[in-house]
Amino acid sequence: MIAALEGQAHTPQALRLLGLAYLRSGDVNLAELPLLQAHLQGDPEASVEYGNYLRFVGKYDQACALFAQIHPSLQGELGLRCLRWWGVAEVQQGQTEAGITRLERAWHGYIGLGNPELTARVTNAFAQMQLRIGNHGQARHLFQEALRQLPEQPVPQPRLTALHGLLELQMQQGDFQGAEATLTHIGRALRYTDSLHERSMAFIARSEWQRLTGKLDGYTENLEEVARCAASLDDYELSIWVTAKLAEHYSALGRFGEALRVLIGFGTPQEEWPPELWSAYGMLLRRRHEPAAAEEALNRAAETFRTQRRAPELIRVLMHAGAAALRGGNKAFAVTHFKEALFEMLRLKMHAVFRPDFEELQELVHYALLEPDTAPLLEPVLDNLAHLIGSPRLPEDSSMYLQITTLGRVSVFKDNVEVPLSLKGSALLLAYLQLHPGKTRAELQLALYPDKDPNTGGGYIRSAIAELREKLGREVVTFGGPKNAPTYRLGTMVHCDLDLQAFREAAARGEAARMVALYRGEFMPEIHDSEWVQDIREETLMTLTLELRVQMARFEEVGDWRRVILLANQYLRFDSYDVEVLQMRLRAAQVVGTPHEVARYSAQLKRNYN
């Protein structure tokens, strides 16, 4: 089409077709002039598509003004098309309710036309807007309806759009296995197009899946590929997205200068930045230990996201703003920001998508666990925080990063990927070697299985070492010393984060909230024949309950009754029959509690007496 019309388009119809060809092929910057010419020469379809061009490049005010001007004179499908893009532009502009209403009118109109594929395309647009405002159930239903009607070929773009919407929904809900399957469908549909825009969307999808699952091989390269696509396409929204993500990623790696260069390279004055860039800038400042400036930038982004009802983006910004406020000593604002984020998170029933942020913002999470205003909101998502053992960083000289969970459940992750171990003693040996390196096989057998005869216990140790080397790599367990009694330790190139060590560190600093977050149950729950395991179980439970008692007594002394109740509730999860703590909780509730709390705590105390 471009080859036939370039330099030969003189009528409004020909100019409109040339502009549409540029628009569809990704040469957006070349589409403006022919569409504008055809619009000014009175072609109605060109007017609608010129408005769509204005929307596409981020000129939402101009697009909405044009749609409002031309819509009264349009009939049939063209009138519905105008209504569709007008609604999308309004949502993107922040007028969410008005935009959703127009889109719904367009959707009903297309259903009335009886064209299944056209209807499916508008259904897809409507689903995108439902996803944007957090209406996940309706969005999933609409995406599935659209995908039933949209073919892979000969024009796969509408199907790809629906697949990307479904993928975003799956990742927001933590369905990463379903998301991986959707990525496969996207790859299949891409075979039928050479569109640079569609390929950039696929890079975005893959990079977001990598970020949320922690499988980061090639993540930077994918983002940089999206940046090249955005520059070639001159796509405003794509440029915003990749600029923000690259800046976030570089600042997370400590490459602050590079992150700032990316933000400045967006090309608009800072006062005109979209909220995504203010968000990335705020995260950069927080990571660079400038909390006051970070909070100011993040609050600016939050105001816009709140107005536009973009809940997922708002949640992230509020979490980082809370962390900045806490670091700056402004604890009241830290609680306010995080409380609003948790409310939105619970409303949308979204947890998994914020896992990287929870992992990074440990200080805020631990503080909020024992704050009366935020602790009740954190309780429903506590299971999602069970894996958090700080914000581990892989040392530059390490070739393997292991993350071992032993409290309440047992799991071993190698370089952020879980490795299933078939022998119960394998993870146990791994944890013991992390805590007590340089032991002989006989010493290991005596420490872990003293009640077993040496041959049986030694066999357990040999089998565990063999499985660890097979599943994690031969370098994970090394030995040295005399040949007849070698000593074993984790390899020098292995960096290991063990939740038990993190628990002990938190206990040494009196961080009760972090101890509660880490202690998800007894140590090595599947092991029943090891005296060492039993000793650790008793040690961890006693350490936790003792620290909670100390803090309860401290808060009771100063009359902070709400925190006394909060700490008592945590304590009673582990020892529900402790009369002294039940009495302390009831005394506190009689001062600040509701009648319902007083009645419930009183009944629990009486049941214990009976």
Side-chain angles (χ1 to χ4, degrees):
M1 184 73 73
I2 292 170
L5 293 175
E6 208 165 29
Q8 307 296 321
H10 305 298
T11 66
Q13 293 84 355
L15 288 165
R16 181 232 306 156
L17 290 173
L18 179 59
L20 282 173
Y22 282 135
L23 204 60
R24 301 289 186 269
S25 66
D27 292 323
V28 180
N29 55 330
L30 297 177
E32 180 180 15
L33 184 57
L35 286 176
L36 176 60
Q37 287 176 311
H39 159 60
L40 294 175
Q41 291 177 31
D43 186 285
E45 186 174 357
S47 298
V48 174
E49 294 297 342
Y50 180 61
N52 188 26
Y53 160 80
L54 292 172
R55 178 204 63 81
F56 189 77
V57 296
K59 298 178 180 179
Y60 305 127
D61 290 340
Q62 294 179 42
C64 289
L66 177 59
F67 290 134
Q69 176 190 340
I70 64 176
H71 183 260
S73 64
L74 299 175
Q75 302 294 324
E77 190 277 329
L78 201 53
L80 295 173
R81 198 189 314 178
C82 176
L83 205 60
R84 169 193 178 184
W85 293 125
W86 190 0
V88 173
E90 283 182 318
V91 172
Q92 291 173 319
Q93 188 185 32
Q95 300 179 40
T96 307
E97 290 184 12
I100 291 288
T101 300
R102 280 190 220 284
L103 261 174
E104 193 166 14
R105 284 173 55 197
W107 182 47
H108 290 163
Y110 274 102
I111 292 172
L113 287 180
N115 184 316
E117 188 168 335
L118 270 178
T119 302
R121 294 187 186 197
V122 184
T123 301
N124 182 35
F126 192 39
Q128 296 281 349
M129 297 305 107
Q130 294 293 329
L131 175 60
R132 188 162 185 158
I133 64 173
N135 193 347
H136 288 172
Q138 176 76 340
R140 180 181 288 274
H141 170 70
L142 292 170
F143 281 131
Q144 289 170 341
E145 284 297 315
L147 286 168
R148 271 194 278 270
Q149 299 291 340
L150 295 171
E152 278 188 355
Q153 53 178 315
V155 182
Q157 280 84 349
R159 181 174 179 82
L160 282 165
T161 302
L163 285 168
H164 283 294
L166 179 61
L167 177 72
E168 184 179 351
L169 174 60
Q170 289 168 325
M171 291 199 291
Q172 285 186 7
Q173 295 185 322
D175 181 12
F176 298 120
Q177 187 173 357
E180 190 170 16
T182 302
L183 282 170
T184 301
H185 289 299
I186 288 172
R188 280 177 40 189
L190 278 175
R191 293 179 298 179
Y192 303 105
T193 178
D194 57 1
S195 166
L196 189 59
H197 176 75
E198 297 301 340
R199 297 199 175 279
S200 69
M201 292 297 103
F203 279 119
I204 287 175
R206 174 62 63 177
S207 64
E208 276 297 275
W209 184 82
Q210 288 175 308
R211 184 179 72 85
L212 294 176
T213 58
K215 300 174 181 179
L216 295 174
D217 287 345
Y219 178 70
T220 305
E221 292 78 3
N222 280 340
L223 289 182
E224 290 171 347
E225 187 62 39
V226 176
R228 285 189 285 272
C229 291
S232 299
L233 293 169
D234 196 23
D235 186 321
Y236 179 74
E237 289 199 346
L238 189 59
S239 296
I240 292 173
W241 186 91
V242 73
T243 300
K245 290 297 181 184
L246 271 172
E248 279 187 35
H249 181 55
Y250 287 144
S251 70
L253 296 175
R255 293 155 62 177
F256 301 121
E258 203 162 353
L260 195 57
R261 177 187 60 77
V262 169
L263 288 170
I264 293 172
F266 184 70
T268 61
Q270 191 175 24
E271 285 301 310
E272 298 176 15
W273 275 1
E276 293 88 344
L277 269 58
W278 280 109
S279 171
Y281 183 54
M283 293 180 194
L284 183 156
L285 292 170
R286 186 190 62 75
R287 290 163 178 156
R288 207 168 61 181
H289 307 297
E290 299 179 41
E295 192 180 359
E296 182 181 349
L298 291 163
N299 282 336
R300 184 166 183 156
E303 287 177 13
T304 306
F305 287 139
R306 198 179 287 114
T307 301
Q308 296 177 353
R309 295 179 61 186
R310 295 169 61 182
E313 293 92 339
L314 175 62
I315 290 169
R316 289 196 69 220
V317 166
L318 288 170
M319 289 178 68
H320 286 267
L326 184 63
R327 178 58 63 90
N330 196 342
K331 295 181 178 180
F333 276 108
V335 170
T336 301
H337 294 320
F338 198 35
K339 184 178 180 180
E340 184 182 353
L342 290 169
F343 264 121
E344 287 295 301
M345 200 181 301
L346 292 170
R347 180 179 69 82
L348 297 177
K349 299 178 181 177
M350 291 168 59
H351 305 140
V353 73
F354 303 110
R355 185 177 68 176
D357 302 289
F358 273 116
E359 289 178 341
E360 182 180 0
L361 306 178
Q362 286 293 292
E363 185 180 355
L364 175 66
V365 174
H366 298 151
Y367 178 78
L369 272 170
L370 290 182
E371 278 296 303
D373 284 346
T374 49
L377 300 172
L378 260 179
E379 288 291 337
V381 298
L382 211 61
D383 286 341
N384 293 277
L385 308 180
H387 64 289
L388 299 181
I389 59 174
S391 299
R393 298 284 181 183
L394 181 61
E396 291 181 3
D397 60 348
S398 296
S399 61
M400 183 191 300
Y401 166 45
L402 297 180
Q403 192 173 14
I404 309 170
T405 303
T406 60
L407 295 170
R409 64 187 180 92
V410 178
S411 62
V412 176
F413 285 77
K414 175 186 176 183
D415 299 330
N416 297 308
V417 178
E418 186 167 12
V419 179
L421 298 173
S422 58
L423 301 177
K424 295 178 182 178
S426 295
L428 174 62
L429 178 63
L430 203 56
Y432 189 86
L433 288 175
Q434 170 66 9
L435 296 169
H436 304 287
K439 301 292 184 182
T440 65
R441 190 183 301 163
E443 288 173 326
L444 291 171
Q445 183 268 324
L446 187 62
L448 296 177
Y449 308 109
D451 295 334
K452 297 185 183 299
D453 67 79
N455 289 335
T456 304
Y460 275 33
I461 300 299
R462 281 192 297 272
S463 298
I465 291 173
E467 180 175 43
L468 290 174
R469 286 179 168 172
E470 178 187 349
K471 296 288 184 67
L472 299 174
R474 295 190 61 81
E475 69 275 21
V476 70
V477 179
T478 60
F479 60 89
K483 289 185 178 180
N484 60 336
T487 57
Y488 294 84
R489 64 180 63 246
L490 298 185
T492 57
M493 300 295 284
V494 176
H495 174 75
C496 181
D497 281 299
L498 175 65
D499 60 349
L500 177 61
Q501 281 183 307
F503 178 87
R504 287 173 169 175
E505 291 166 6
R509 292 194 290 267
E511 296 177 352
R514 191 177 182 206
M515 292 168 69
V516 170
L518 288 162
Y519 189 86
R520 306 306 296 163
E522 65 179 14
F523 178 70
M524 289 284 176
E526 297 179 354
I527 301 292
H528 305 291
D529 54 354
S530 171
E531 186 176 337
W532 181 72
V533 169
Q534 186 59 42
D535 289 343
I536 296 294
R537 285 175 186 165
E538 293 173 2
E539 171 214 323
T540 51
L541 183 57
M542 185 179 299
T543 302
L544 175 62
T545 52
L546 180 61
E547 181 60 36
L548 290 173
R549 275 182 169 277
V550 168
Q551 297 217 12
M552 274 188 284
R554 184 184 307 153
F555 286 124
E556 185 180 41
E557 185 178 340
V558 298
D560 194 341
W561 303 109
R562 263 295 152 206
R563 282 189 174 81
V564 171
I565 293 173
L566 182 60
L567 287 161
N569 285 334
Q570 294 291 346
Y571 181 100
L572 292 168
R573 289 170 52 204
F574 312 116
D575 185 358
S576 58
Y577 299 105
D578 191 307
V579 173
E580 186 179 346
V581 174
L582 287 165
Q583 290 172 334
M584 187 183 296
R585 182 177 66 172
L586 180 57
R587 288 197 302 270
Q590 287 168 340
V591 179
V592 297
T594 64
H596 174 71
E597 283 180 305
V598 173
R600 182 157 57 92
Y601 297 158
S602 179
Q604 288 175 357
L605 180 59
K606 288 177 182 176
R607 275 200 305 272
N608 191 69
Y609 283 135
N610 294 335

